[in-house]
Amino acid sequence: MESYSTLLKREDACETGNDYDGRMGLRISSIFVILVGSMFGALFPVFARRFSKNGGFAKWAFFVAKYFGSGVIIATAFVHLLAPAQEALKNKCLTGPITEYDWVEGIILMTIIVLFFVELMVMRFSKFGQGHLHDEEGNTHTQLDDHPVVNEANEPKSHMPGEDHLGHTREHHDNIDSENNNQAAEDYAAQLTSIFILEFGIIFHSIFIGLTLAVSGDEFTTLYIVLVFHQAFEGLGLGSRLATIPWSKSKRFTPYLLGFGYGISTPVAIAIGLGVRKSYPPNGRTTLIVNGVFDSISAGILIYTALVELMAHEFMFSHSMRKAPIRDVLIAFFLLCAGAALMALLGKWA
């Protein structure tokens, strides 16, 4: 059995301090600047979706935000989560069981399997994808196994390609009975599960980078600038998901609350980091392990979301996208690539 002194040396192998070098005023300003950028990114798609029914700029703004944001989420998963998780859990100062297995890949695999099981159960017991949902404008959406159910008294309305959630075709109806109201509640619960999982993954990542920014040293200025764009783009990815859900009237404030929760995550983390600036070790043993594990979990969540919901459903299984002109499909694909490319580029600095 190892002696106490040996264990102590192992613990001290990792850094126990940080590179904080003052500039408190500039660091405090980052709280408010990143707050504004994050809020804008998360809430802009929600507002754009709300006013897109009028057509024109708002409709195309939502279209751009949605697919650009999808690309951002894809790049975030691989460049901003998977890579830092590898760096943290394979740090040379770590020893013991954490170094004896490829935990990053293992955690991502477990996360994806768990997410698939959760969504499978939710879809089965909530009958996800069937029934009616009311959006905040009061429209009723009918969904049934990806086939449109058309009310003979109403003509189906056209949608911007990709506007339907998870590739389900939606048609508008004027009346809904109590049974369909119950079904709408079940559908809402299923979609809420998905969006909460995504928000969980993004927010944990945002908290850790906020703590890191607060105690960074010479690289603070560069990191500050990059994180303003990083959080705005990441918020755009989350906001585009929030905007695609046809929220019921009783839940019409939910996307704004979720966007607000994301918006304050990094600023609050920066404030906490400044409060513990003399004791928080970003490269300490415990910090590296916690960051690595949670970045791995978040990477698994975003990889699953990106590949299953954003790429497969929105492009290949979306009824509106299959019927859309090839020009719209190519524009959507270009926007996805642009979002992924810009977010991947930011990975050079943060």
Side-chain angles (χ1 to χ4, degrees), residues 12-285:
D12 290 339
C14 296
E15 296 180 18
T16 57
N18 58 58
D19 298 325
Y20 176 79
D21 59 359
R23 295 182 284 179
M24 180 61 77
L26 192 59
R27 293 175 193 271
I28 292 176
S29 74
S30 69
I31 296 175
F32 300 99
V33 174
I34 291 178
L35 175 66
V36 172
S38 300
M39 288 290 189
F40 174 80
L43 296 178
F44 173 75
V46 179
F47 282 106
R49 173 67 179 88
R50 181 174 184 178
F51 296 105
S52 65
K53 63 177 182 176
N54 299 324
F57 172 77
K59 191 170 186 177
W60 279 103
F62 171 68
F63 180 79
V64 171
K66 177 176 182 178
Y67 289 103
F68 183 88
S70 296
V72 167
I73 290 179
I74 295 169
T76 299
F78 290 98
V79 178
H80 295 268
L81 290 172
L82 192 154
Q86 289 274 16
E87 184 179 346
L89 294 186
K90 292 186 179 297
N91 192 291
K92 294 181 179 180
C93 78
L94 296 178
T95 56
I98 197 70
T99 64
E100 297 171 2
Y101 184 75
D102 293 324
W103 284 106
V104 174
E105 292 82 354
I107 293 171
I108 290 175
L109 174 62
M110 289 186 285
T111 301
I112 291 174
I113 295 298
V114 169
L115 288 180
F116 176 71
F117 178 76
V118 169
E119 290 210 352
L120 182 64
M121 292 299 101
V122 170
M123 290 177 68
R124 181 174 181 84
F125 292 106
S126 292
K127 299 180 181 178
F128 183 42
Q130 301 180 23
H132 298 73
L133 288 174
H134 288 286
D135 62 22
E136 60 185 15
E137 283 83 34
N139 298 318
T140 305
H141 302 286
T142 299
Q143 303 169 329
L144 182 60
D145 297 330
D146 281 348
H147 296 290
V149 179
V150 181
N151 187 330
E152 294 179 357
N154 296 279
E155 291 296 325
K157 298 181 181 179
S158 61
H159 296 279
M160 173 70 69
E163 212 171 36
D164 49 334
H165 178 64
L166 300 185
H168 297 295
T169 304
R170 305 183 302 197
E171 301 297 337
H172 297 288
H173 299 273
D174 294 326
N175 301 315
I176 185 169
D177 55 24
S178 59
E179 180 181 351
N180 286 332
N181 275 326
N182 293 334
Q183 187 64 63
E186 293 174 351
D187 287 347
Y188 172 77
Q191 295 182 66
L192 196 60
T193 300
S194 176
I195 201 67
F196 266 126
I197 289 172
L198 176 61
E199 176 132 342
F200 171 86
I202 292 178
I203 282 183
F204 266 100
H205 171 57
S206 299
I207 290 173
F208 290 131
I209 63 176
L211 290 171
T212 301
L213 177 65
V215 298
S216 57
D218 295 337
E219 73 279 12
F220 171 77
T221 302
T222 301
L223 195 59
Y224 180 1
I225 296 171
V226 171
L227 286 184
V228 171
F229 292 98
H230 177 284
Q231 290 306 101
F233 289 160
E234 202 168 78
L236 203 62
L238 175 63
S240 65
R241 294 298 95 203
L242 294 173
T244 57
I245 298 179
W247 303 95
S248 63
K249 282 188 175 182
S250 62
K251 306 296 190 299
R252 63 185 180 277
F253 295 115
T254 304
Y256 303 101
L257 293 175
L258 293 176
F260 177 79
Y262 164 78
I264 66 172
S265 59
T266 298
V268 168
I270 295 172
I272 293 173
L274 292 176
V276 297
R277 61 188 180 278
K278 295 182 179 180
S279 58
Y280 176 70
N283 291 312
R285 178 182 176 82

